[in-house]
């Protein structure tokens, strides 16, 4: 197994211990000090994210497995996002499936019932390898989510060659728990028994460390975990059954038992008797038991008198459950095998790796001047781009109806909406924008928060919490590290502006292609919101088209510039525009003025028109009414924020209200039922082949 | 009707079914797979999911469980037995219904809202039903097959149909023989179907506000 500790870090360990560590101890330190588990290169900056608010119950600073906010009636919403990028690059089916399993266990660790999943997938070009990756990623997510009965209610699917070798597989999960029944991940008192449910096997050895370096190109399949959703379903059902009987719950994820025990002890100590660990494979060495990342295992801290009751509930399903040790007052983490010490290290050493703040330098971004692109060619390229086509091929493989609470389903709107047990409607959306982030990670950090906020507004919801996932290349590269710092700054600024607490997050570094080039920076946010008034049903019909917001000729960092290069200015996010425009849309929804609406994002105004065109309608646009720039390409393809496209029968209402609020709104055209055409001023663009491509591209390619 | 909703390890839809059965006024409760007492209930529903992970073949392990002996006893006594999705798979695997449910023709899991025509109204489940029902499917193994088309035609209760109500090839989501979506036994008291009536029982989550699933579930409220 490859260790990822640096020689400097190894020196620190030797110095603190005053001796040469045992082999198992190196592995233990390697797992806990991995970037994946310790956030050693990111923690300093993550502190700048706003993590508090009147509705926050549990947040980042608690370093729990997931964040939680109050959603009324005594209920808490638990939210978490995570990626499984490296495992999915090597074994896309199991990598993606175990990503789902892992996030579900984070949610149940809080005693919360998982109610919805989102998946945000980014792959490269659709050659043989790309198709293999995508087919298996989608099948793997479906395999796990469907089997355990948690609906995948929404997500993203984007194609960019930056992800050819390193796909991004992000999954987010929302769960619900009664506020006073949230279970902590950490203990506060010694004497509790450590109870482990589930078999430990050979898979996923050193996975946390594997995730914390670039893909080596060598055979690393042993670091990938194997998914067993049936076991996952049992562990979900039984964990929720025993949640009220235990003092703390921790999922065994990256770093296996090593990390779970150390983090649960949280500064106290622990003694673990490794011979008690139920094994799937008899001859597993004590060292491997400590760092195995076999899925479908949970660790519980239990009062001694309750151990039998907890384990009996697992045994009812023939699921292994054993008392493997205890929490001690002595702050030492001790793993022993039949009384023989295998590893014995101070808790404090394991939990406090030296933090890294790497040199950072902003890359100079030179943009070649783009060629003159004829409008027809640009429209065709944008409107047939795989990022904008129907994703039914993917989401139809997910059981998005299980739970009988999916109100707005995949493909119906910019946000998914699920009904909570208290009758409220919860909106969920994940957003990232690798094009903009590659140009300016700070503007992009702001923009993705603003986009998520707008996306929630399209169904009538206001954001209440977000979680982020920060995906970059190797942090030791100054340009990569600067992008990371910039993105955090942008996300932090925007979430403060909208007063939306960041209640959790993850960092994934070392996402690179096989030549060592970093992926485009891809921070991602998942926002949750509540619908306070009416839910927008968003059914496309004939009506007037109103464009809310100002269109600026900012084509750098857009889908247009990804395809055609060039692009001029980078969009500068003016958060106040996003806030006011969202207010206007929500007001319009509540006053019954909105037939259908969509925020303007990928593909610009043209991209926003596509859903109308594909539902058998024609669209007629008068370009002079798109205000803010004289460039037709800018009008059609700029992706600057603060804008919505609304179908309404009362355009005057929007213009009047916008004027009162201090933003732009103009009636730019009409949608009519005589399908198949986009008419821009005097020019008519037939859309039949665009519409056909929309429905058949993914099905035909895969 | 006192109705048992069986939960096998891996069943995912038991709470959804109970929620829908409550709408029609049934006395429904979840019963764990190892504690079904057939004499306590007048009807039983086997909900969807992935019983025992569907690891051998969908429904195969559950079909050989102790619980299914109880279900068979209930079926033989003329009590109502409804299998939804994985429950339908369990009923064919256990021989309570004829035929088999093969992997979908495109070998993929599929979720979709479909229309099904009610071909037989002489069963207790469909006696007062509308002609065409709108419901979602969600399965990987729902391709109904029986090597005798005449029997299949006689037992078929539901058929996938298009918007004009025709059992066209385009309306067939999984390659089922004769677009069959659900069948009954000879006596008519055992029904299995792939679409999920419990997911079409609440107007808030139905694409058009309809609640067609209640047409089938209503009988449990009697």
């Amino acid at each position: 197994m490859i260790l990822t500790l640096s020689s400097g870090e190894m020196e620190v360990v030797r110095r603190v211990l005053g001796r040469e560590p045992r082999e198992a101890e190196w592995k233990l330190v390697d797992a806990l000090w991995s970037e994946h588990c310790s956030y050693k290169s990111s923690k300093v900056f993550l502190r700048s994210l706003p993590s508090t608010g009147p509705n926050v119950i549990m947040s980042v600073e608690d370093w729990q497995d997931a964040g939680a906010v109050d959603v009324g009636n005594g209920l808490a919403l638990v939210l978490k996002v995570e990626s499984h990028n490296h495992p999915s690059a090597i074994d896309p089916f199991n990598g993606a499936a175990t990503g789902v399993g892992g996030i579900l266990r984070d949610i149940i660790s809080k005693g919360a019932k998982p109610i919805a999943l989102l998946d945000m997938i980014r792959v490269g070009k659709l050659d043989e390898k790309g198709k293999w990756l995508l087919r298996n990623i989608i099948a793997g997510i479906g395999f796990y989510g469907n089997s355990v009965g948690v609906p995948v209610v929404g997500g993203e699917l984007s194609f960019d060659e930056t992800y050819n070798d390193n796909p991004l597989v992000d999954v987010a999960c929302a769960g619900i728990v009664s506020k006073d029944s949230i279970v902590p991940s950490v203990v506060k008192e010694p004497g509790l028994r450590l109870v482990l449910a589930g078999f430990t096997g050979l898979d996923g050895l050193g996975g946390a460390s594997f995730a914390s370096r670039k893909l080596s190109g060598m055979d690393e399949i042993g670091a990938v975990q194997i998914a067993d959703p049936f076991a996952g379903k049992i562990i979900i059902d039984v964990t929720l059954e025993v949640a009220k009987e235990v003092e703390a719950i921790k999922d065994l994820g990256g770093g296996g038992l090593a990390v779970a025990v150390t983090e649960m002890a949280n500064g106290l100590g622990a003694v673990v008797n490794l011979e008690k660990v139920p094994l799937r494979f008899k001859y597993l060495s004590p060292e491997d038991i400590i760092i195995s990342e076999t899925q479908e295992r949970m660790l519980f801290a239990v009062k001694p008198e309750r151990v039998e009751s907890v384990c009996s509930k697992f045994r009812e399903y023939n699921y292994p459950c054993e008392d493997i040790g205890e929490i001690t007052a002595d702050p030492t983490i001790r793993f022993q095998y039949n009384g023989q010490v295998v590893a014995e290290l101070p808790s404090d050493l394991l939990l406090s790796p030296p933090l890294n703040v790497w040199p950072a330098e902003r890359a100079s971004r030179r943009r070649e001047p783009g060629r003159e692109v004829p409008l027809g060619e640009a429209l065709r390229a944008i409107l047939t781009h795989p990022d904008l086509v129907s994703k039914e091929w993917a989401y139809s493989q997910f059981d998005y109806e299980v739970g009988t609470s999916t109100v707005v389903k995949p493909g119906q709107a910019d946000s998914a909406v699920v009904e909570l047990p208290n009758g409220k409607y919860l909106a969920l959306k994940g957003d990232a924008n690798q094009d903009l982030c590659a140009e300016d990670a700070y503007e992009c950090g702001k923009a993705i928060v603003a986009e998520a906020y707008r996306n929630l507004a399209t169904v009538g919801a206001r954001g209440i919490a977000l979680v982020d996932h920060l995906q970059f290349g190797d942090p030791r590269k100054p340009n990569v590290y600067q992008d990371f710092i910039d993105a955090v700054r942008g996300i932090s600024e925007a979430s403060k502006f909208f007063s939306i607490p960041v209640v959790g997050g993850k960092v994934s570094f070392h996402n690179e292609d096989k030549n060592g080039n970093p992926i485009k920076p891809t921070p991602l946010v998942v926002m949750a919101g509540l619908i306070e008034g009416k839910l927008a049903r968003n059914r496309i019909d004939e009506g007037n088209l109103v464009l809310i917001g100002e269109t600026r000729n900012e084509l750098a960092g857009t889908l247009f510039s990804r395809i055609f290069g060039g692009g001029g200015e980078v969009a500068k996010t003016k958060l106040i525009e996003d806030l006011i425009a969202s207010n206007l849309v929500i007001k319009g929804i509540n006053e019954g003025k909105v037939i259908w609406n969509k925020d303007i994002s990928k593909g610009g105004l043209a991209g926003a028109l596509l859903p109308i065109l594909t539902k058998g309608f024609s669209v007629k646009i008068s370009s002079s009414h798109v205000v803010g720039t004289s460039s037709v390409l800018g009008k059609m393809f700029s992706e600057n924020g603060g804008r919505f496209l609304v179908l309404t029968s009362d355009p005057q209402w929007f213009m009047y209200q916008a004027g009162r609020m201090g933003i732009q709104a103009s009636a730019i055209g009409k949608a009519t039922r005589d399908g198949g055409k986009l008419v821009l001023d005097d020019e008519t663009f037939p859309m039949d082949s665009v519409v056909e491509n929309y429905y058949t591209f993914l099905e035909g390619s895969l | 009707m006192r109705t048992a909703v069986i939960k096998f390890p891996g069943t995912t839809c038991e709470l959804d079914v109970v929620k829908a059965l409550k709408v029609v006024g049934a006395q429904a409760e979840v019963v764990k797979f190892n504690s079904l007492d057939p004499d306590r209930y007048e009807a039983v529903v086997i909900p969807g999911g992935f019983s025992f992970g569907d690891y051998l073949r969908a429904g195969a392990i559950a079909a050989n469980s102790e619980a299914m002996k109880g279900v068979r006893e209930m079926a033989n006594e003329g009590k109502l037995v409804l299998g939804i999705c994985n429950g339908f798979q369990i009923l064919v695997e256990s021989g309570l219904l004829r035929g088999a449910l093969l992997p979908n023709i495109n070998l993929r899991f599929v979720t979709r809202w479909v229309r099904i025509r009610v071909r037989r109204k002489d069963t207790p489940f469909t006696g007062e039903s509308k002609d065409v029902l709108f419901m979602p499917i969600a399965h990987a193994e729902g391709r109904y097959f029986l090597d005798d088309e005449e029997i299949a035609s006689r037992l078929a209760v539901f058929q996938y149909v298009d918007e004009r109500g025709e059992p066209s090839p385009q309306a067939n989501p999984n390659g089922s023989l004769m677009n069959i979506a659900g069948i009954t036994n000879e006596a008519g008291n055992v029904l299995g179907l792939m679409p999920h009536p419990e997911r079409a029982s609440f107007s808030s989550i139905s694409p058009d506000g309809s609640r067609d699933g209640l047409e089938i579930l209503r009988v449990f409220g009697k």
Side-chain angles (χ1 to χ4, degrees):
Chain A
M1 199 188 100
I2 316 168
L3 292 185
T4 52
L5 290 170
S6 70
S7 54
E9 288 170 333
M10 293 172 92
E11 261 323 295
V12 172
V13 176
R14 289 190 184 103
R15 208 171 54 233
V16 171
L17 289 182
R19 63 176 169 86
E20 180 67 21
R22 304 173 178 92
E23 191 197 333
E25 290 171 337
W26 277 132
K27 288 182 177 175
L28 200 60
V29 176
D30 189 59
L32 273 136
W33 286 19
S34 67
E35 197 63 69
H36 183 84
C37 297
S38 73
Y39 300 86
K40 62 189 170 191
S41 299
S42 57
K43 214 170 197 169
V44 171
F45 298 97
L46 300 180
R47 296 272 185 222
S48 69
L49 296 167
S51 55
T52 54
N55 62 345
V56 174
I57 297 170
M58 190 164 56
S59 192
V60 209
E61 79 267 18
D62 305 320
W63 298 107
Q64 301 273 4
D65 283 346
V69 289
D70 194 331
V71 288
N73 307 81
L75 292 182
L77 172 76
V78 179
L79 202 59
K80 173 87 189 240
V81 62
E82 199 168 70
S83 69
H84 240 209
N85 302 339
H86 282 184
S88 301
I90 291 188
D91 178 349
F93 184 85
N94 280 299
T98 52
V100 175
I103 196 128
L104 288 166
R105 287 194 305 282
D106 282 333
I107 299 296
I108 61 169
S109 292
K110 314 295 354 132
K113 182 186 180 203
I115 57 162
L117 288 161
L118 302 176
D119 67 326
M120 284 66 64
I121 311 298
R122 291 184 152 70
V123 293
K125 63 170 179 267
L126 275 181
D127 54 10
E128 280 315 302
K129 182 183 165 191
K131 289 178 190 175
W132 171 75
L133 283 170
L134 184 56
R135 273 193 207 115
N136 282 289
I137 288 168
I138 297 298
I141 292 169
F143 174 63
Y144 210 105
N146 298 346
S147 298
V148 299
V150 180
V152 179
V153 298
E156 282 191 300
L157 177 52
S158 176
F159 300 84
D160 191 316
E161 297 199 5
T162 190
Y163 308 117
N164 279 350
D165 298 328
N166 195 318
L168 300 187
V169 179
D170 290 291
V171 285
C173 188
I176 283 288
V177 58
S178 146
K179 240 164 59 174
D180 46 20
S181 309
I182 295 185
V183 184
S185 309
V186 297
V187 297
K188 294 193 191 74
E189 48 176 325
L192 296 171
R193 303 304 303 177
L194 289 169
V195 171
L196 178 67
F199 280 119
T200 298
L202 259 177
D203 53 327
L205 294 180
S209 162
F210 159 68
S212 305
R213 60 175 181 261
K214 75 176 228 145
L215 294 165
S216 69
M218 289 186 284
D219 181 10
E220 298 189 290
I221 195 79
V224 180
Q225 307 93 347
I226 307 298
D228 181 355
F230 175 49
K233 173 65 174 159
I234 290 174
I235 209 142
I236 291 171
D237 287 351
V238 182
T239 297
L240 295 179
E241 212 177 311
V242 304
K244 287 209 165 82
E245 293 184 60
V246 303
E247 307 307 309
I249 309 179
K250 188 108 182 114
D251 143 52
L252 274 79
L257 206 49
V259 169
V261 168
T262 311
E263 290 187 354
M264 181 180 265
N266 195 32
L268 293 172
V271 175
V272 175
N273 304 303
L274 292 168
E275 74 280 2
K276 297 269 175 60
V277 172
L279 300 183
R280 183 184 287 163
F281 170 74
K282 197 169 155 190
Y283 301 104
L284 213 56
S285 75
E287 288 83 5
D288 287 345
I289 295 172
I290 299 174
I291 53 154
S292 162
E293 292 184 10
T294 303
Q295 303 281 293
E296 289 85 31
R297 295 182 299 161
M298 298 298 278
L299 183 66
F300 304 93
V302 189
K303 291 193 169 142
E305 64 272 22
R306 293 212 177 125
V307 170
E308 195 36 49
S309 163
V310 168
C311 276
S312 69
K313 302 217 166 57
F314 280 99
R315 294 203 190 105
E316 196 180 328
Y317 288 92
N318 292 321
Y319 208 80
C321 179
E322 289 296 333
D323 178 337
I324 61 162
E326 75 172 328
I327 297 290
T328 61
D330 164 29
T332 302
I333 302 298
R334 183 180 300 123
F335 287 95
Q336 52 192 32
Y337 193 86
N338 288 327
Q340 202 92 9
V341 172
V342 178
E344 189 172 34
L345 294 166
S347 299
D348 182 52
L349 173 76
L350 290 170
L351 288 173
S352 318
L355 296 184
N356 295 325
V357 176
W358 302 103
E361 186 175 19
R362 193 164 291 124
S364 69
R365 266 114 177 167
R366 267 191 309 262
R367 284 186 285 279
E368 304 299 324
R371 66 178 169 96
E372 274 298 304
V373 185
L375 183 61
E377 182 187 341
L379 276 173
R380 186 161 173 80
I382 299 279
L383 295 179
T384 57
H385 192 277
D387 280 16
L388 297 185
V389 300
S390 165
K391 305 301 189 309
E392 188 175 0
W393 170 84
Y395 64 71
S396 67
Q397 298 186 52
F398 307 140
D399 185 356
Y400 53 80
E401 297 284 359
V402 65
T404 53
S405 57
T406 313
V407 177
V408 176
K409 306 171 199 299
Q412 286 186 345
D414 286 346
S415 292
V417 177
V418 294
E419 189 175 355
L420 297 179
N422 61 2
K424 291 187 182 175
Y425 284 168
L426 175 78
L428 292 165
K429 179 67 171 98
D431 278 305
N433 186 344
Q434 68 269 17
D435 296 311
L436 185 55
C437 286
E439 293 291 345
D440 187 329
Y442 164 68
E443 288 299 335
C444 179
K446 287 198 293 182
I448 55 175
V449 175
E451 183 180 347
Y453 194 83
R454 295 197 307 272
N455 281 327
L456 295 194
T458 63
V459 293
R462 268 182 211 288
I464 57 165
L466 71 81
V467 288
D468 63 355
H469 190 33
L470 306 163
Q471 301 167 106
F472 296 84
D474 184 340
R476 293 168 298 186
K477 296 180 178 166
N479 291 345
V480 170
Y481 204 52
Q482 183 66 54
D483 283 344
F484 163 74
I485 296 169
D486 285 346
V488 173
R489 199 157 55 88
I491 291 170
S492 176
E493 186 179 323
S495 36
K496 281 173 191 155
F497 177 85
F498 291 114
S499 299
I500 297 178
V502 180
V503 296
K506 289 286 284 183
V507 180
S508 165
F509 284 125
H510 302 281
N511 294 290
E512 296 187 334
D513 71 12
K514 58 176 183 275
N515 301 319
N517 300 310
I519 57 161
K520 291 180 183 173
T522 316
L524 177 146
V525 297
V526 173
M527 197 181 285
L530 287 175
I531 291 170
E532 290 158 4
K534 281 189 193 163
L535 165 76
R537 281 289 175 180
N538 284 318
R539 298 216 171 84
I540 291 169
D541 207 333
E542 289 194 319
N544 295 284
L545 285 163
V546 170
L547 178 62
I548 299 172
E550 186 188 45
T551 303
R552 292 183 284 272
N553 190 17
E554 297 171 324
L555 283 173
T558 61
L559 182 57
F560 179 89
S561 67
R562 195 199 312 170
I563 298 171
F564 296 108
E569 295 293 317
V570 174
K572 299 281 188 288
T573 305
K574 299 182 181 172
L575 297 166
I576 189 71
E577 292 178 338
D578 295 287
L579 183 66
I580 298 174
S582 298
N583 285 342
L584 174 53
V585 163
I586 292 173
K587 188 175 165 70
I589 289 167
N590 281 300
E591 296 191 16
K593 302 293 182 187
V594 174
I595 297 171
W596 171 90
N597 84 107
K598 180 172 175 18
D599 91 303
I600 308 271
S601 47
K602 205 45 60 188
L605 175 59
L609 293 170
L610 188 58
I612 305 175
L613 294 164
T614 58
K615 284 284 183 314
F617 291 83
S618 278
V619 168
K620 194 170 187 315
I621 302 283
S622 161
S623 70
S624 63
H625 290 98
V626 179
V627 292
T629 173
S630 57
S631 156
V632 174
L633 293 178
K635 286 174 195 279
M636 293 307 286
F637 305 115
S638 173
E639 297 175 6
N640 71 273
R643 294 182 298 156
F644 290 85
L645 181 66
V646 180
L647 264 173
T648 179
S649 51
D650 191 354
Q652 291 304 326
W653 184 88
F654 281 93
M655 289 187 277
Y656 173 68
Q657 295 292 342
R660 282 172 42 131
M661 294 178 176
I663 53 169
Q664 292 283 351
S666 47
I668 60 165
K670 278 189 162 65
T672 52
R673 210 175 273 282
D674 52 332
K677 298 187 297 291
L678 171 61
V679 183
L680 190 63
D681 302 325
D682 303 328
E683 211 171 343
T684 298
F685 301 92
M687 286 287 135
D688 304 326
S689 63
V690 165
V691 173
E692 194 192 325
N693 178 77
Y694 176 85
Y695 287 111
T696 58
F697 177 82
L698 284 182
E699 191 68 49
S701 308
L702 292 145
Chain B
M1 221 176 257
R2 260 187 92 78
T3 307
V5 178
I6 299 186
K7 177 175 173 60
F8 289 101
T11 296
T12 59
C13 303
E14 73 279 8
L15 297 176
D16 297 346
V17 169
V18 168
K19 187 170 134 191
L21 286 175
K22 296 249 158 95
V23 173
V24 296
Q27 281 179 279
E29 61 188 16
V30 174
V31 178
K32 276 194 186 168
F33 71 111
N34 49 10
S35 55
L36 173 68
D37 175 1
D39 296 333
R40 287 193 63 208
Y41 302 95
E42 298 157 78
V44 59
V45 179
I46 312 173
F50 292 74
S51 55
F52 297 95
D54 278 353
Y55 280 178
L56 181 60
R57 197 171 57 235
I61 302 175
N64 292 291
S65 66
E66 204 56 35
M68 285 310 292
K69 288 187 187 156
V71 172
R72 184 182 305 275
E73 204 178 291
M74 292 174 73
N76 291 341
E77 289 167 10
K79 292 176 178 174
L80 297 189
V81 178
L82 173 66
I84 301 165
C85 198
N86 192 231
F88 184 16
Q89 293 163 339
I90 294 168
L91 288 175
V92 297
E93 283 287 343
S94 65
L96 281 169
L97 290 174
R98 300 281 302 262
L101 289 156
L102 309 177
N104 296 347
I105 199 150
N106 66 4
L107 302 178
R108 288 207 311 258
F109 189 98
V110 62
T111 298
R112 192 194 295 172
W113 281 74
V114 297
R115 276 166 228 287
I116 53 172
R117 170 172 290 284
V118 182
R119 290 179 83 242
R120 283 183 51 176
K121 296 200 177 172
D122 59 342
T123 80
F125 305 94
T126 51
E128 296 158 29
S129 173
K130 297 196 292 189
D131 292 343
V132 175
L133 309 176
F134 189 44
M135 276 185 227
I137 54 165
H139 58 251
E141 287 147 309
R143 180 184 172 198
Y144 184 76
F145 181 76
L146 185 68
D147 54 9
D148 187 325
E149 287 205 22
E150 226 168 276
I151 297 176
S153 174
R154 185 156 51 77
L155 297 178
V157 178
F158 304 111
Q159 255 182 324
Y160 301 107
V161 293
D162 57 25
E163 291 198 338
R164 292 164 310 166
E166 299 298 323
S168 58
Q170 294 78 12
N172 192 338
N174 52 24
S176 287
L177 176 77
M178 300 160 60
N179 284 35
I180 290 173
I183 61 159
T184 182
N185 62 346
E186 296 287 352
N189 66 322
V190 179
L191 176 73
L193 77 166
M194 290 315 294
H196 286 264
E198 81 278 14
R199 298 179 182 184
S201 298
F202 309 94
S203 50
S204 61
I205 57 162
S206 155
D208 62 358
S210 61
R211 303 199 294 168
D212 291 356
L214 299 179
E215 304 276 307
I216 297 169
L217 300 179
R218 195 175 292 134
V219 63
F220 295 96
K222 288 181 180 164

